[in-house]
Amino acid sequence: MKEINFKDFKVIPILSSINRIDMSDEEYFSKTYRDYVSNSRLKNINPAEGGSPSLYKNPPHFSTQSLVVGSAVHERLLQPESFELAPKMGRPTAKLGNCIDAAIKYRKQGCSIYESIVKGSNDADYYAGRLTYSRIKSILKAGLSYYFAQKNLKGTEIVLSDTDYDTVISCIRSVENNSKIINTLYPETAFGNKIPNYNEDAFFMDYVVMYKDKATILKYKMKIDNWTIDTENKVLTLNDLKTSYKPASLFMNPEYGSMYHYHYYRQFALYGDILQLYCMKEYGYTPKTWNFNANVLVVSTSDPYESQCFPISDNLIKKGRREYMQLLKRVAYYEIFGYKEEVKFI
């Protein structure tokens, strides 16, 4: 198998290409930016996370209950002006709930009840292609009260199952009662003046990646949960909110903590490097004269819903930087030579 040496690559961030935009999630995840490189997409080309060139080129699209809960917690804590929780309405959980949501959507579009259920079943992969009369009957029974309850909604609310609703409320209360997390997200000076903070900003930047005599441009996108900048004391801080089913106290455990299992250190390194470049351009930030901090804010989605704030060490940032640089090089190679060639990176 052909061997490709990482040392033969050069990754150059284009400072002039950095763009910070206040953008909705709908636009951020739209077709316009679908082919951009992102931290989550880099997972799909990382062999250590089960990635491959084909998986990167054709990334899977899926949703789990943990993602639903995590998204709701993020939206209510970081974008409360844009999102509100719908009250409990008896929404079924998991795929059945997704099936009924889709069926309601199709019903509103004018489809018959039967057609709506069939389409909803296919969209949610809930007995897709295997619906029987008894299953259709059970879907109708499970979703009827929920169907009538949600008809009065505006359509912008976050609709959850009753169980997930309780979980999200408990997580939000835990974070809001954690003074360390709140002070980290919304810091103040010693005189009580608010330090500028920003939630859910989208950033875009281009990288030129050179491999020997060839080169390609990789367009990168990211959305930062929260960042703060104290220009007077020259402190730049990156914060990211995470939900975890495990106790928050285990999050940083090197053996089985989520920080290592999900390679979150790569996200902090990549986000931190781009944020610093942006602030270098806009605020005169320099690593030598400013302090840069990064924190992960963790809340457990299981009782007793503990929450903690952990600083990210320089060693973790360095570990993440090594990893994301290698992954960008992998992407660049396949962008230049195509995704079918099998090679070994050394």
Side-chain angles (χ1 to χ4, degrees), residues 37 56 205-209 216-220 327-329 331-332 335:
V37 183
Y56 177 85
M205 190 180 76
D206 296 344
Y207 288 93
V208 172
V209 184
T216 189
I217 294 177
L218 300 181
K219 292 185 174 297
Y220 188 85
L327 296 181
L328 289 177
K329 293 173 183 179
V331 173
E335 284 292 319

Side-chain angles (χ1 to χ4, degrees), residues 71-83:
S71 295
V73 171
H74 273 77
E75 289 163 352
R76 281 300 299 149
L77 283 171
L78 301 177
Q79 298 170 285
E81 71 287 348
S82 301
F83 296 95

Side-chain angles (χ1 to χ4, degrees), residues 194-232:
K194 292 183 178 180
I195 293 172
N197 64 83
Y198 306 94
N199 292 345
E200 297 294 334
D201 277 347
F203 289 81
F204 299 86
M205 190 180 76
D206 296 344
Y207 288 93
V208 172
V209 184
M210 303 176 66
Y211 174 68
K212 296 183 177 180
D213 62 339
K214 300 185 182 298
T216 189
I217 294 177
L218 300 181
K219 292 185 174 297
Y220 188 85
K221 69 174 185 177
M222 67 181 191
K223 251 198 169 189
I224 293 181
D225 280 356
N226 170 275
W227 66 283
T228 69
I229 183 164
D230 183 349
T231 53
E232 182 178 348

Side-chain angles (χ1 to χ4, degrees), residues 103-115:
I104 291 172
K105 177 188 71 175
Y106 288 118
R107 185 70 177 133
K108 289 179 178 179
Q109 293 174 2
C111 296
S112 67
I113 295 176
Y114 174 78
E115 186 181 8

Side-chain angles (χ1 to χ4, degrees), residues 67-336:
L67 286 176
V68 169
V69 169
S71 295
V73 171
H74 273 77
E75 289 163 352
R76 281 300 299 149
L77 283 171
L78 301 177
Q79 298 170 285
E81 71 287 348
S82 301
F83 296 95
E84 62 177 301
L85 284 179
K88 289 184 180 181
M89 295 183 295
R91 180 189 184 275
T93 60
K95 288 186 177 181
L96 175 57
N98 296 336
C99 171
I100 294 173
D101 279 340
I104 291 172
K105 177 188 71 175
Y106 288 118
R107 185 70 177 133
K108 289 179 178 179
Q109 293 174 2
C111 296
S112 67
I113 295 176
Y114 174 78
E115 186 181 8
S116 297
I117 292 176
V118 171
K119 287 186 174 183
S121 166
N122 292 333
D123 286 2
D125 192 25
Y126 182 73
Y127 293 108
R130 296 178 290 119
L131 281 180
T132 61
Y133 173 78
S134 61
R135 282 174 181 159
I136 292 176
K137 189 176 179 180
S138 67
I139 291 173
L140 285 169
K141 183 178 179 181
L144 191 60
S145 61
Y146 169 56
Y147 171 76
F148 286 110
Q150 61 80 44
K151 288 182 73 173
N152 295 321
L153 296 179
K154 294 177 293 185
T156 58
E157 299 91 341
I158 303 170
V159 181
L160 302 169
S161 69
D162 290 359
T163 300
D164 288 343
Y165 178 93
D166 290 338
T167 298
V168 169
I169 291 297
S170 296
C171 289
I172 291 172
R173 286 174 179 165
S174 176
V175 171
E176 290 179 339
N177 290 327
N178 189 316
S179 59
K180 186 173 183 180
I181 290 181
I182 295 302
N183 291 336
T184 299
L185 288 171
Y186 308 107
E188 296 180 350
T189 66
F191 299 100
N193 299 318
K194 292 183 178 180
I195 293 172
N197 64 83
Y198 306 94
N199 292 345
E200 297 294 334
D201 277 347
F203 289 81
F204 299 86
M205 190 180 76
D206 296 344
Y207 288 93
V208 172
V209 184
M210 303 176 66
Y211 174 68
K212 296 183 177 180
D213 62 339
K214 300 185 182 298
T216 189
I217 294 177
L218 300 181
K219 292 185 174 297
Y220 188 85
K221 69 174 185 177
M222 67 181 191
K223 251 198 169 189
I224 293 181
D225 280 356
N226 170 275
W227 66 283
T228 69
I229 183 164
D230 183 349
T231 53
E232 182 178 348
N233 294 301
K234 295 186 175 182
V235 179
L236 176 63
T237 304
L238 168 68
N239 300 307
D240 195 81
L241 177 65
K242 299 293 185 189
T243 53
S244 174
Y245 182 75
K246 296 178 181 178
S249 56
L250 300 179
F251 193 87
M252 301 296 288
N253 188 290
E255 293 184 15
Y256 43 79
S258 294
M259 172 60 69
Y260 293 85
H261 181 75
Y262 294 108
H263 296 238
Y264 286 140
Y265 47 82
R266 180 180 72 234
Q267 175 189 347
F268 278 97
L270 191 43
Y271 284 24
D273 285 354
I274 293 178
L275 180 60
Q276 289 176 78
L277 287 172
Y278 171 78
C279 291
M280 190 180 298
K281 175 184 174 184
E282 299 294 332
Y283 295 94
Y285 169 91
T286 64
K288 291 184 178 180
T289 59
W290 285 58
N291 289 322
F292 173 73
N293 302 314
N295 304 289
V296 60
L297 318 174
V298 185
V299 58
S300 174
T301 58
S302 57
D303 196 20
Y305 307 99
E306 68 167 318
S307 55
Q308 289 195 37
C309 175
F310 301 100
I312 307 300
S313 68
D314 290 342
N315 286 336
L316 270 181
I317 295 290
K318 291 176 182 177
K319 178 181 176 70
R321 186 176 294 120
R322 286 193 298 270
E323 185 170 298
Y324 88 67
M325 289 291 283
Q326 288 189 352
L327 296 181
L328 289 177
K329 293 173 183 179
R330 286 177 182 268
V331 173
Y333 180 87
Y334 290 114
E335 284 292 319
I336 294 171

Side-chain angles (χ1 to χ4, degrees), residues 10-27:
K10 188 174 183 180
V11 180
I12 306 169
I14 307 303
L15 187 61
S16 61
S17 71
I18 296 180
N19 198 11
R20 170 189 165 211
I21 304 175
D22 183 9
M23 179 183 293
S24 68
D25 287 347
E26 184 179 8
E27 184 178 0

